Short mmCIF file of all heavy atoms in Angstrom, two decimals:
data_model
loop_
_atom_site.label_atom_id
_atom_site.label_comp_id
_atom_site.label_asym_id
_atom_site.label_seq_id
_atom_site.Cartn_x
_atom_site.Cartn_y
_atom_site.Cartn_z
N MET A 1 -17.67 -9.28 9.83
CA MET A 1 -17.95 -7.97 9.24
C MET A 1 -17.05 -7.77 8.03
O MET A 1 -15.84 -7.87 8.10
CB MET A 1 -17.64 -6.88 10.26
CG MET A 1 -17.79 -5.48 9.68
SD MET A 1 -19.28 -4.73 10.24
CE MET A 1 -19.20 -3.18 9.32
N SER A 2 -17.64 -7.51 6.94
CA SER A 2 -16.84 -7.32 5.75
C SER A 2 -17.40 -6.18 4.93
O SER A 2 -18.61 -5.93 4.90
CB SER A 2 -16.81 -8.59 4.91
OG SER A 2 -18.10 -8.88 4.45
N VAL A 3 -16.52 -5.48 4.30
CA VAL A 3 -16.95 -4.40 3.42
C VAL A 3 -17.07 -4.94 2.01
O VAL A 3 -16.34 -5.82 1.61
CB VAL A 3 -15.97 -3.23 3.44
CG1 VAL A 3 -16.09 -2.48 4.75
CG2 VAL A 3 -14.55 -3.72 3.23
N SER A 4 -17.99 -4.40 1.29
CA SER A 4 -18.13 -4.82 -0.09
C SER A 4 -18.07 -3.61 -1.00
O SER A 4 -18.40 -2.50 -0.59
CB SER A 4 -19.46 -5.56 -0.30
OG SER A 4 -20.53 -4.70 -0.01
N GLY A 5 -17.64 -3.85 -2.19
CA GLY A 5 -17.52 -2.74 -3.12
C GLY A 5 -16.12 -2.69 -3.70
O GLY A 5 -15.33 -3.61 -3.53
N THR A 6 -15.85 -1.59 -4.34
CA THR A 6 -14.56 -1.47 -4.99
C THR A 6 -13.78 -0.30 -4.42
O THR A 6 -14.34 0.64 -3.88
CB THR A 6 -14.72 -1.28 -6.50
OG1 THR A 6 -15.62 -0.21 -6.74
CG2 THR A 6 -15.24 -2.54 -7.17
N CYS A 7 -12.49 -0.40 -4.56
CA CYS A 7 -11.55 0.60 -4.10
C CYS A 7 -11.96 2.00 -4.55
O CYS A 7 -12.32 2.21 -5.70
CB CYS A 7 -10.17 0.25 -4.65
SG CYS A 7 -8.93 1.51 -4.41
N GLN A 8 -11.89 2.95 -3.63
CA GLN A 8 -12.32 4.31 -3.97
C GLN A 8 -11.24 5.10 -4.69
O GLN A 8 -11.44 6.25 -5.05
CB GLN A 8 -12.76 5.04 -2.70
CG GLN A 8 -14.00 4.40 -2.09
CD GLN A 8 -14.51 5.17 -0.89
OE1 GLN A 8 -13.90 6.12 -0.44
NE2 GLN A 8 -15.65 4.76 -0.36
N ILE A 9 -10.10 4.47 -4.88
CA ILE A 9 -9.05 5.13 -5.64
C ILE A 9 -9.03 4.63 -7.07
O ILE A 9 -9.09 5.40 -8.02
CB ILE A 9 -7.67 4.92 -4.98
CG1 ILE A 9 -7.63 5.67 -3.64
CG2 ILE A 9 -6.56 5.42 -5.90
CD1 ILE A 9 -6.32 5.54 -2.90
N CYS A 10 -8.94 3.31 -7.23
CA CYS A 10 -8.86 2.78 -8.59
C CYS A 10 -10.23 2.33 -9.11
O CYS A 10 -10.46 2.29 -10.30
CB CYS A 10 -7.87 1.62 -8.65
SG CYS A 10 -8.34 0.18 -7.67
N GLY A 11 -11.13 2.03 -8.18
CA GLY A 11 -12.48 1.71 -8.60
C GLY A 11 -12.64 0.36 -9.26
O GLY A 11 -13.70 0.06 -9.81
N THR A 12 -11.61 -0.44 -9.20
CA THR A 12 -11.70 -1.72 -9.88
C THR A 12 -11.48 -2.91 -8.95
O THR A 12 -12.11 -3.94 -9.10
CB THR A 12 -10.67 -1.81 -11.03
OG1 THR A 12 -9.36 -1.56 -10.52
CG2 THR A 12 -10.99 -0.79 -12.11
N ARG A 13 -10.57 -2.73 -8.01
CA ARG A 13 -10.26 -3.86 -7.14
C ARG A 13 -11.15 -3.90 -5.91
O ARG A 13 -11.75 -2.90 -5.52
CB ARG A 13 -8.80 -3.78 -6.69
CG ARG A 13 -7.82 -3.87 -7.83
CD ARG A 13 -6.43 -3.67 -7.29
NE ARG A 13 -5.50 -3.27 -8.33
CZ ARG A 13 -4.85 -4.12 -9.11
NH1 ARG A 13 -5.01 -5.41 -8.95
NH2 ARG A 13 -4.03 -3.68 -10.03
N GLU A 14 -11.17 -5.05 -5.31
CA GLU A 14 -12.00 -5.26 -4.13
C GLU A 14 -11.40 -4.56 -2.92
O GLU A 14 -10.19 -4.54 -2.71
CB GLU A 14 -12.09 -6.76 -3.87
CG GLU A 14 -13.13 -7.12 -2.82
CD GLU A 14 -13.22 -8.62 -2.63
OE1 GLU A 14 -12.78 -9.35 -3.53
OE2 GLU A 14 -13.73 -9.05 -1.59
N ILE A 15 -12.24 -4.00 -2.10
CA ILE A 15 -11.80 -3.31 -0.90
C ILE A 15 -11.24 -4.29 0.11
O ILE A 15 -11.85 -5.33 0.39
CB ILE A 15 -12.98 -2.55 -0.27
CG1 ILE A 15 -13.43 -1.41 -1.18
CG2 ILE A 15 -12.58 -2.00 1.09
CD1 ILE A 15 -14.78 -0.84 -0.78
N THR A 16 -10.09 -3.93 0.64
CA THR A 16 -9.50 -4.78 1.67
C THR A 16 -9.27 -4.03 2.97
O THR A 16 -9.24 -4.62 4.04
CB THR A 16 -8.15 -5.37 1.20
OG1 THR A 16 -7.28 -4.30 0.86
CG2 THR A 16 -8.34 -6.27 0.01
N ASP A 17 -9.11 -2.72 2.89
CA ASP A 17 -8.83 -1.94 4.09
C ASP A 17 -9.43 -0.54 3.97
O ASP A 17 -9.82 -0.11 2.89
CB ASP A 17 -7.32 -1.81 4.29
CG ASP A 17 -6.69 -3.11 4.72
OD1 ASP A 17 -6.88 -3.49 5.89
OD2 ASP A 17 -6.04 -3.75 3.88
N ASP A 18 -9.46 0.13 5.11
CA ASP A 18 -9.90 1.51 5.08
C ASP A 18 -8.81 2.40 5.67
O ASP A 18 -8.12 2.02 6.62
CB ASP A 18 -11.22 1.69 5.84
CG ASP A 18 -11.08 1.35 7.30
OD1 ASP A 18 -10.55 0.27 7.60
OD2 ASP A 18 -11.50 2.16 8.14
N CYS A 19 -8.69 3.57 5.13
CA CYS A 19 -7.66 4.50 5.55
C CYS A 19 -7.97 5.06 6.93
O CYS A 19 -9.09 5.48 7.21
CB CYS A 19 -7.57 5.63 4.52
SG CYS A 19 -6.43 6.92 5.00
N ASP A 20 -6.97 5.06 7.80
CA ASP A 20 -7.17 5.59 9.15
C ASP A 20 -7.19 7.11 9.16
O ASP A 20 -7.51 7.73 10.16
CB ASP A 20 -6.04 5.11 10.07
CG ASP A 20 -6.20 3.63 10.40
OD1 ASP A 20 -7.31 3.10 10.20
OD2 ASP A 20 -5.22 3.02 10.84
N ARG A 21 -6.82 7.70 8.07
CA ARG A 21 -6.71 9.15 8.02
C ARG A 21 -7.95 9.78 7.38
O ARG A 21 -8.56 10.68 7.93
CB ARG A 21 -5.45 9.54 7.23
CG ARG A 21 -5.12 11.01 7.27
CD ARG A 21 -3.74 11.21 6.69
NE ARG A 21 -3.32 12.58 6.71
CZ ARG A 21 -3.26 13.36 5.63
NH1 ARG A 21 -3.62 12.90 4.46
NH2 ARG A 21 -2.84 14.60 5.73
N CYS A 22 -8.29 9.31 6.19
CA CYS A 22 -9.42 9.92 5.49
C CYS A 22 -10.63 9.01 5.43
O CYS A 22 -11.71 9.42 5.03
CB CYS A 22 -8.99 10.34 4.08
SG CYS A 22 -8.67 8.95 2.97
N GLY A 23 -10.43 7.74 5.84
CA GLY A 23 -11.56 6.82 5.88
C GLY A 23 -11.92 6.22 4.55
O GLY A 23 -12.94 5.55 4.42
N LYS A 24 -11.10 6.47 3.58
CA LYS A 24 -11.37 5.94 2.25
C LYS A 24 -11.23 4.43 2.25
O LYS A 24 -10.38 3.87 2.92
CB LYS A 24 -10.37 6.56 1.26
CG LYS A 24 -10.80 6.46 -0.17
CD LYS A 24 -9.88 7.28 -1.03
CE LYS A 24 -10.15 8.77 -0.87
NZ LYS A 24 -9.36 9.61 -1.76
N LEU A 25 -12.10 3.77 1.50
CA LEU A 25 -12.04 2.32 1.38
C LEU A 25 -11.23 1.96 0.16
O LEU A 25 -11.54 2.36 -0.95
CB LEU A 25 -13.46 1.75 1.25
CG LEU A 25 -14.38 2.06 2.43
CD1 LEU A 25 -15.81 1.67 2.09
CD2 LEU A 25 -13.93 1.36 3.68
N VAL A 26 -10.17 1.23 0.42
CA VAL A 26 -9.23 0.98 -0.68
C VAL A 26 -8.85 -0.49 -0.78
O VAL A 26 -9.01 -1.27 0.17
CB VAL A 26 -7.95 1.82 -0.50
CG1 VAL A 26 -8.26 3.31 -0.66
CG2 VAL A 26 -7.31 1.56 0.85
N CYS A 27 -8.30 -0.83 -1.93
CA CYS A 27 -7.81 -2.19 -2.16
C CYS A 27 -6.42 -2.33 -1.57
O CYS A 27 -5.81 -1.36 -1.13
CB CYS A 27 -7.79 -2.48 -3.66
SG CYS A 27 -6.60 -1.49 -4.59
N ALA A 28 -5.89 -3.54 -1.62
CA ALA A 28 -4.58 -3.80 -1.04
C ALA A 28 -3.50 -2.99 -1.74
O ALA A 28 -2.52 -2.57 -1.13
CB ALA A 28 -4.26 -5.29 -1.12
N THR A 29 -3.69 -2.77 -3.02
CA THR A 29 -2.70 -2.03 -3.79
C THR A 29 -2.62 -0.58 -3.34
O THR A 29 -1.57 0.03 -3.36
CB THR A 29 -3.07 -2.07 -5.29
OG1 THR A 29 -3.14 -3.43 -5.69
CG2 THR A 29 -2.03 -1.35 -6.13
N HIS A 30 -3.74 -0.04 -2.92
CA HIS A 30 -3.78 1.37 -2.56
C HIS A 30 -3.86 1.57 -1.06
O HIS A 30 -4.33 2.60 -0.59
CB HIS A 30 -4.96 2.05 -3.27
CG HIS A 30 -4.76 2.13 -4.75
ND1 HIS A 30 -5.49 1.38 -5.64
CD2 HIS A 30 -3.87 2.85 -5.47
CE1 HIS A 30 -5.07 1.65 -6.86
NE2 HIS A 30 -4.09 2.53 -6.78
N TYR A 31 -3.40 0.58 -0.33
CA TYR A 31 -3.36 0.69 1.12
C TYR A 31 -1.94 0.53 1.61
O TYR A 31 -1.23 -0.40 1.23
CB TYR A 31 -4.25 -0.39 1.74
CG TYR A 31 -4.33 -0.32 3.24
CD1 TYR A 31 -5.07 0.67 3.87
CD2 TYR A 31 -3.67 -1.26 4.03
CE1 TYR A 31 -5.15 0.73 5.25
CE2 TYR A 31 -3.76 -1.22 5.41
CZ TYR A 31 -4.50 -0.22 6.01
OH TYR A 31 -4.58 -0.17 7.38
N ASP A 32 -1.50 1.46 2.44
CA ASP A 32 -0.16 1.39 2.99
C ASP A 32 -0.23 0.78 4.38
O ASP A 32 -0.69 1.41 5.33
CB ASP A 32 0.45 2.79 3.05
CG ASP A 32 1.94 2.72 3.34
OD1 ASP A 32 2.32 2.07 4.33
OD2 ASP A 32 2.72 3.33 2.60
N LYS A 33 0.20 -0.45 4.47
CA LYS A 33 0.05 -1.17 5.74
C LYS A 33 0.92 -0.57 6.84
O LYS A 33 0.59 -0.65 8.02
CB LYS A 33 0.40 -2.64 5.55
CG LYS A 33 -0.67 -3.38 4.80
CD LYS A 33 -0.31 -4.85 4.66
CE LYS A 33 -1.43 -5.59 3.92
NZ LYS A 33 -1.08 -6.99 3.68
N GLU A 34 2.03 -0.01 6.47
CA GLU A 34 2.92 0.57 7.47
C GLU A 34 2.25 1.72 8.20
O GLU A 34 2.35 1.86 9.41
CB GLU A 34 4.20 1.06 6.80
CG GLU A 34 5.14 -0.06 6.45
CD GLU A 34 6.42 0.48 5.83
OE1 GLU A 34 6.84 1.58 6.21
OE2 GLU A 34 6.95 -0.20 4.94
N LEU A 35 1.58 2.56 7.44
CA LEU A 35 0.96 3.73 8.02
C LEU A 35 -0.50 3.49 8.39
O LEU A 35 -1.05 4.14 9.26
CB LEU A 35 1.03 4.90 7.03
CG LEU A 35 2.45 5.40 6.72
CD1 LEU A 35 2.40 6.42 5.59
CD2 LEU A 35 3.08 6.01 7.94
N GLY A 36 -1.11 2.55 7.71
CA GLY A 36 -2.52 2.33 7.91
C GLY A 36 -3.36 3.34 7.14
O GLY A 36 -4.52 3.58 7.45
N TYR A 37 -2.73 3.94 6.15
CA TYR A 37 -3.40 4.94 5.33
C TYR A 37 -3.56 4.43 3.90
O TYR A 37 -2.89 3.50 3.49
CB TYR A 37 -2.57 6.23 5.27
CG TYR A 37 -2.38 6.93 6.60
CD1 TYR A 37 -1.41 7.91 6.73
CD2 TYR A 37 -3.18 6.62 7.69
CE1 TYR A 37 -1.22 8.57 7.93
CE2 TYR A 37 -2.99 7.27 8.90
CZ TYR A 37 -2.00 8.24 9.02
OH TYR A 37 -1.82 8.88 10.20
N CYS A 38 -4.42 5.13 3.17
CA CYS A 38 -4.46 4.87 1.75
C CYS A 38 -3.20 5.47 1.12
O CYS A 38 -2.49 6.26 1.74
CB CYS A 38 -5.72 5.50 1.13
SG CYS A 38 -5.74 7.31 1.16
N THR A 39 -2.93 5.09 -0.09
CA THR A 39 -1.69 5.55 -0.72
C THR A 39 -1.70 7.06 -0.95
O THR A 39 -0.64 7.68 -0.96
CB THR A 39 -1.48 4.84 -2.07
OG1 THR A 39 -2.65 4.95 -2.85
CG2 THR A 39 -1.13 3.38 -1.85
N GLU A 40 -2.85 7.64 -1.10
CA GLU A 40 -2.92 9.09 -1.27
C GLU A 40 -2.47 9.80 -0.01
O GLU A 40 -1.68 10.75 -0.04
CB GLU A 40 -4.35 9.50 -1.64
CG GLU A 40 -4.72 9.08 -3.04
CD GLU A 40 -6.10 9.60 -3.41
OE1 GLU A 40 -6.83 10.08 -2.52
OE2 GLU A 40 -6.45 9.52 -4.60
N CYS A 41 -2.97 9.35 1.11
CA CYS A 41 -2.57 9.95 2.38
C CYS A 41 -1.10 9.62 2.68
O CYS A 41 -0.36 10.45 3.17
CB CYS A 41 -3.45 9.43 3.51
SG CYS A 41 -5.13 10.05 3.44
N ALA A 42 -0.70 8.41 2.38
CA ALA A 42 0.67 7.99 2.63
C ALA A 42 1.63 8.87 1.84
O ALA A 42 2.68 9.26 2.33
CB ALA A 42 0.85 6.53 2.25
N THR A 43 1.26 9.17 0.63
CA THR A 43 2.10 10.02 -0.21
C THR A 43 2.16 11.42 0.38
O THR A 43 3.23 12.03 0.43
CB THR A 43 1.52 10.10 -1.64
OG1 THR A 43 1.48 8.80 -2.18
CG2 THR A 43 2.39 10.98 -2.51
N GLU A 44 1.04 11.91 0.85
CA GLU A 44 1.02 13.24 1.47
C GLU A 44 1.90 13.27 2.71
O GLU A 44 2.74 14.14 2.88
CB GLU A 44 -0.41 13.61 1.87
CG GLU A 44 -1.19 14.27 0.77
CD GLU A 44 -2.55 14.73 1.30
OE1 GLU A 44 -2.58 15.42 2.33
OE2 GLU A 44 -3.56 14.36 0.70
N VAL A 45 1.67 12.31 3.56
CA VAL A 45 2.39 12.27 4.83
C VAL A 45 3.88 12.07 4.61
O VAL A 45 4.70 12.75 5.19
CB VAL A 45 1.83 11.14 5.71
CG1 VAL A 45 2.70 10.95 6.95
CG2 VAL A 45 0.40 11.45 6.11
N ARG A 46 4.20 11.14 3.76
CA ARG A 46 5.60 10.82 3.54
C ARG A 46 6.29 11.85 2.67
O ARG A 46 7.47 12.13 2.85
CB ARG A 46 5.72 9.46 2.86
CG ARG A 46 5.54 8.32 3.81
CD ARG A 46 5.83 7.03 3.06
NE ARG A 46 6.05 5.94 3.99
CZ ARG A 46 5.58 4.72 3.81
NH1 ARG A 46 4.85 4.46 2.77
NH2 ARG A 46 5.84 3.77 4.68
N GLY A 47 5.55 12.36 1.72
CA GLY A 47 6.16 13.25 0.74
C GLY A 47 6.82 14.47 1.35
O GLY A 47 7.80 14.98 0.81
N THR A 48 6.29 14.93 2.49
CA THR A 48 6.83 16.13 3.08
C THR A 48 7.95 15.83 4.06
O THR A 48 8.88 16.59 4.19
CB THR A 48 5.72 16.91 3.80
OG1 THR A 48 5.07 16.02 4.71
CG2 THR A 48 4.72 17.45 2.81
N THR A 49 7.83 14.72 4.73
CA THR A 49 8.79 14.46 5.81
C THR A 49 9.80 13.39 5.47
O THR A 49 10.96 13.67 5.20
CB THR A 49 8.04 14.06 7.08
OG1 THR A 49 7.18 12.97 6.79
CG2 THR A 49 7.23 15.22 7.61
N GLU A 50 9.37 12.17 5.42
CA GLU A 50 10.31 11.09 5.27
C GLU A 50 10.18 10.38 3.93
O GLU A 50 9.16 10.44 3.28
CB GLU A 50 10.12 10.08 6.40
CG GLU A 50 8.68 9.63 6.52
CD GLU A 50 8.51 8.65 7.66
OE1 GLU A 50 9.29 7.71 7.71
OE2 GLU A 50 7.60 8.82 8.48
N LYS A 51 11.23 9.70 3.57
CA LYS A 51 11.21 8.93 2.34
C LYS A 51 10.85 7.49 2.65
O LYS A 51 11.14 7.00 3.73
CB LYS A 51 12.59 8.97 1.69
CG LYS A 51 12.98 10.37 1.26
CD LYS A 51 14.39 10.36 0.72
CE LYS A 51 14.81 11.78 0.32
NZ LYS A 51 16.21 11.80 -0.13
N PRO A 52 10.24 6.83 1.70
CA PRO A 52 9.94 5.42 1.89
C PRO A 52 11.21 4.62 2.09
O PRO A 52 12.18 4.80 1.36
CB PRO A 52 9.23 5.01 0.59
CG PRO A 52 9.45 6.11 -0.36
CD PRO A 52 9.76 7.34 0.44
N PRO A 53 11.21 3.75 3.09
CA PRO A 53 12.40 3.00 3.46
C PRO A 53 12.79 1.93 2.45
O PRO A 53 13.94 1.54 2.37
CB PRO A 53 12.03 2.36 4.80
CG PRO A 53 10.56 2.27 4.77
CD PRO A 53 10.06 3.42 3.93
N THR A 54 11.83 1.46 1.71
CA THR A 54 12.14 0.39 0.77
C THR A 54 12.20 0.92 -0.65
O THR A 54 11.23 1.44 -1.15
CB THR A 54 11.06 -0.71 0.85
OG1 THR A 54 9.79 -0.11 0.67
CG2 THR A 54 11.12 -1.41 2.18
N PRO A 55 13.34 0.79 -1.29
CA PRO A 55 13.47 1.23 -2.67
C PRO A 55 12.69 0.32 -3.61
O PRO A 55 12.74 -0.89 -3.50
CB PRO A 55 14.98 1.13 -2.94
CG PRO A 55 15.47 0.13 -1.96
CD PRO A 55 14.57 0.24 -0.75
N ASP A 56 11.96 0.93 -4.50
CA ASP A 56 11.15 0.14 -5.42
C ASP A 56 11.98 -0.45 -6.54
O ASP A 56 11.80 -1.57 -6.95
CB ASP A 56 10.06 1.03 -6.04
CG ASP A 56 8.77 0.92 -5.25
OD1 ASP A 56 8.68 0.03 -4.40
OD2 ASP A 56 7.87 1.73 -5.48
N ARG A 57 12.87 0.36 -7.03
CA ARG A 57 13.64 -0.10 -8.19
C ARG A 57 15.10 -0.30 -7.79
O ARG A 57 15.95 0.51 -8.08
CB ARG A 57 13.55 0.93 -9.31
CG ARG A 57 12.12 1.12 -9.77
CD ARG A 57 12.07 2.16 -10.86
NE ARG A 57 10.68 2.43 -11.27
CZ ARG A 57 10.36 3.31 -12.19
NH1 ARG A 57 11.30 4.00 -12.80
NH2 ARG A 57 9.11 3.52 -12.51
N ASP A 58 15.31 -1.36 -7.11
CA ASP A 58 16.68 -1.69 -6.76
C ASP A 58 16.97 -3.09 -7.29
O ASP A 58 16.10 -3.74 -7.86
CB ASP A 58 16.85 -1.64 -5.24
CG ASP A 58 18.27 -1.24 -4.86
OD1 ASP A 58 19.19 -1.51 -5.67
OD2 ASP A 58 18.46 -0.69 -3.78
N GLU A 59 18.17 -3.50 -7.08
CA GLU A 59 18.53 -4.83 -7.56
C GLU A 59 17.97 -5.90 -6.64
O GLU A 59 18.08 -5.81 -5.43
CB GLU A 59 20.04 -4.96 -7.64
CG GLU A 59 20.66 -3.94 -8.57
CD GLU A 59 22.18 -4.07 -8.55
OE1 GLU A 59 22.67 -5.20 -8.50
OE2 GLU A 59 22.85 -3.04 -8.55
N PHE A 60 17.37 -6.88 -7.25
CA PHE A 60 16.90 -8.02 -6.49
C PHE A 60 17.51 -9.29 -7.05
O PHE A 60 16.89 -9.99 -7.83
CB PHE A 60 15.37 -8.11 -6.54
CG PHE A 60 14.70 -7.03 -5.73
CD1 PHE A 60 14.05 -5.99 -6.37
CD2 PHE A 60 14.73 -7.07 -4.35
CE1 PHE A 60 13.43 -4.98 -5.65
CE2 PHE A 60 14.10 -6.07 -3.62
CZ PHE A 60 13.46 -5.03 -4.27
N PRO A 61 18.73 -9.57 -6.66
CA PRO A 61 19.43 -10.74 -7.20
C PRO A 61 18.73 -12.05 -6.85
O PRO A 61 18.77 -12.99 -7.61
CB PRO A 61 20.82 -10.67 -6.56
CG PRO A 61 20.66 -9.79 -5.37
CD PRO A 61 19.53 -8.85 -5.69
N ASP A 62 18.07 -12.06 -5.71
CA ASP A 62 17.38 -13.28 -5.30
C ASP A 62 15.87 -13.09 -5.34
O ASP A 62 15.14 -13.57 -4.50
CB ASP A 62 17.83 -13.70 -3.90
CG ASP A 62 19.29 -14.07 -3.87
OD1 ASP A 62 19.74 -14.78 -4.79
OD2 ASP A 62 19.99 -13.62 -2.96
N GLY A 63 15.42 -12.36 -6.31
CA GLY A 63 14.00 -12.02 -6.37
C GLY A 63 13.09 -13.19 -6.64
O GLY A 63 11.90 -13.13 -6.41
N VAL A 64 13.65 -14.28 -7.13
CA VAL A 64 12.81 -15.43 -7.45
C VAL A 64 12.94 -16.51 -6.40
O VAL A 64 12.69 -17.66 -6.65
CB VAL A 64 13.15 -16.02 -8.83
CG1 VAL A 64 12.48 -15.22 -9.92
CG2 VAL A 64 14.64 -16.08 -9.05
N ASP A 65 13.32 -16.10 -5.23
CA ASP A 65 13.50 -17.08 -4.17
C ASP A 65 12.18 -17.35 -3.48
O ASP A 65 11.95 -17.00 -2.35
CB ASP A 65 14.52 -16.55 -3.17
CG ASP A 65 14.86 -17.59 -2.11
OD1 ASP A 65 14.69 -18.78 -2.37
OD2 ASP A 65 15.27 -17.18 -1.02
N THR A 66 11.28 -17.95 -4.21
CA THR A 66 9.93 -18.16 -3.68
C THR A 66 9.74 -19.57 -3.14
O THR A 66 8.79 -19.83 -2.42
CB THR A 66 8.88 -17.90 -4.75
OG1 THR A 66 9.21 -18.65 -5.91
CG2 THR A 66 8.81 -16.43 -5.08
N PHE A 67 10.63 -20.43 -3.49
CA PHE A 67 10.47 -21.82 -3.06
C PHE A 67 11.23 -22.08 -1.76
O PHE A 67 12.38 -21.75 -1.63
CB PHE A 67 10.97 -22.78 -4.13
CG PHE A 67 10.02 -22.92 -5.27
CD1 PHE A 67 10.49 -22.93 -6.57
CD2 PHE A 67 8.66 -23.04 -5.03
CE1 PHE A 67 9.62 -23.07 -7.62
CE2 PHE A 67 7.79 -23.17 -6.08
CZ PHE A 67 8.27 -23.17 -7.40
N ARG A 68 10.50 -22.63 -0.84
CA ARG A 68 11.15 -23.02 0.41
C ARG A 68 10.87 -24.47 0.68
O ARG A 68 9.74 -24.92 0.54
CB ARG A 68 10.63 -22.19 1.59
CG ARG A 68 11.12 -20.76 1.54
CD ARG A 68 10.68 -20.07 2.82
NE ARG A 68 11.04 -18.65 2.82
CZ ARG A 68 10.81 -17.85 3.84
NH1 ARG A 68 10.22 -18.31 4.91
NH2 ARG A 68 11.17 -16.58 3.80
N SER A 69 11.87 -25.17 1.08
CA SER A 69 11.66 -26.60 1.34
C SER A 69 11.70 -26.88 2.83
O SER A 69 11.90 -25.99 3.62
CB SER A 69 12.73 -27.42 0.62
OG SER A 69 14.00 -26.98 1.01
ZN1 ZN B 101 -7.23 0.48 -5.63
ZN1 ZN B 102 -6.49 8.29 3.08
#
């Protein structure tokens, strides 16, 4: 079973998930895996109560550590 079409938020990317809150079909970019919501709902839910645990703009000294042997 697969959904086809484009994200209902950005309208450009392929749908990968659906929001458990509003049912919107969204791409990976606009889906919050932690909550299982689209980013719009995640922002609503989080915006009032808790802050996102992971800082977006922090130092990543080992950010290029993509190679594993
Ligand atoms: Zn999107
Ligand atoms: Zn939603």
